[in-house]
Amino acid sequence: MSLKGRDILSMRDLSRPEILEILKASRALIPVAEGRRPSRALEGRLLSLAFFEPSTRTRLSFETAAKRLGARTITIVDPAASSMAKGESLSDTVRMLSCYADLIVLRHPNEGASRLAAQLSDKPVINAGDGAGQHPTQTLLDLATMEERFQTLAGLRVVLMGDLRYGRTVHSLAHALGLFGSELTLSSPERLSLPEEVRRDLDQMGAKVTEQPDLEKALRGADVLYVTRIQKERFGDLAEYAKVSGSYRLDPALLRNMKEKFAVMHPLPRVAEIPPEVDRSPHAVYFRQAFLAVPVRMALLSLILTGRVPPGGGR
Ligand code: NCD
């Protein structure tokens, strides 16, 4: 099935072949993402970037991806400066955006916000994070990072560490890794464990999942450690946050005996869970991961807006 005109709301919207198609297209687009090859493949297209929650990488990489392909963008970055501050509903805002632009990228604090938006919009909607729900395009770039490192996605041993309860990036990633037959180890404080419905989804897929709160043990034989920040903004009660704040931090000594290709990943922003000295380690790939956001989002935008990827990356 073609991706043309499709909404991307959750990783469940994409099949394995579709994911592989996006990753292949993104590899071809790396020279365009690096600015070495110009492209006007999306010239004349207008994208709406509607961000009702803080964002650095996601918004700027979507914007970079669009502009490097010749498209233009209109942006909401500060809800206080839009008519939502006057009491306009998300539904009405989305209806407007779908009149103006060819595609809507939406980040919103409410889980399910992008599904609602997709029902109201006759233009494709991409979920750039809905509360503690899903963040499918982050998963695509996470997979691109793993594929670049290991030349395959099959059968990787991945440790998911940190705030698995509220971290939407791990909710999307866990599903995708289940699709590719990864062995998953969940390493989190008990209060931050993976939500029941995500766990059930993995069980239904027949994914291999174990829990190991002791990171040193969890890392035995691992290919990837995927670290997440405690999602402070999702805690209704700051006293609950205080109970888990600072409860985990990657000890650089643990990286000493890992396999050569072992990769430490993080969707970023990091707060204190990865100390800066890890940045110098050959295992640290989180800044490469942040760069790969651009070609991956280029590939996705091209496939959704035109149904194809510009030949050889450019035009
Ligand atoms: C993540 C997010 O917004 O869910 N950031 C991102 O998009 N790279 C992770 C986070 O905020 O911790």
Side-chain angles (χ1 to χ4, degrees), residues 54 57-58 107 135 138 168-169 229 231 233 266-269:
R57 271 153 295 272
T58 304
R107 169 170 288 190
H135 194 351
Q138 176 70 41
R168 55 196 174 198
T169 66
R229 164 184 77 89
Q231 309 281 298
E233 65 275 34
H266 192 305
L268 303 177

Side-chain angles (χ1 to χ4, degrees), residues 226-245:
Y226 190 94
V227 187
T228 58
R229 164 184 77 89
I230 298 186
Q231 309 281 298
K232 182 178 180 185
E233 65 275 34
R234 309 276 174 238
F235 287 75
D237 179 359
L238 278 182
E240 282 300 307
Y241 169 70
K243 288 180 192 157
V244 288
S245 170

Side-chain angles (χ1 to χ4, degrees), residues 296-311:
V296 165
R297 289 182 168 126
M298 281 178 165
L300 192 64
L301 292 174
S302 299
L303 288 165
I304 294 176
L305 287 169
T306 70
R308 60 186 203 97
V309 177

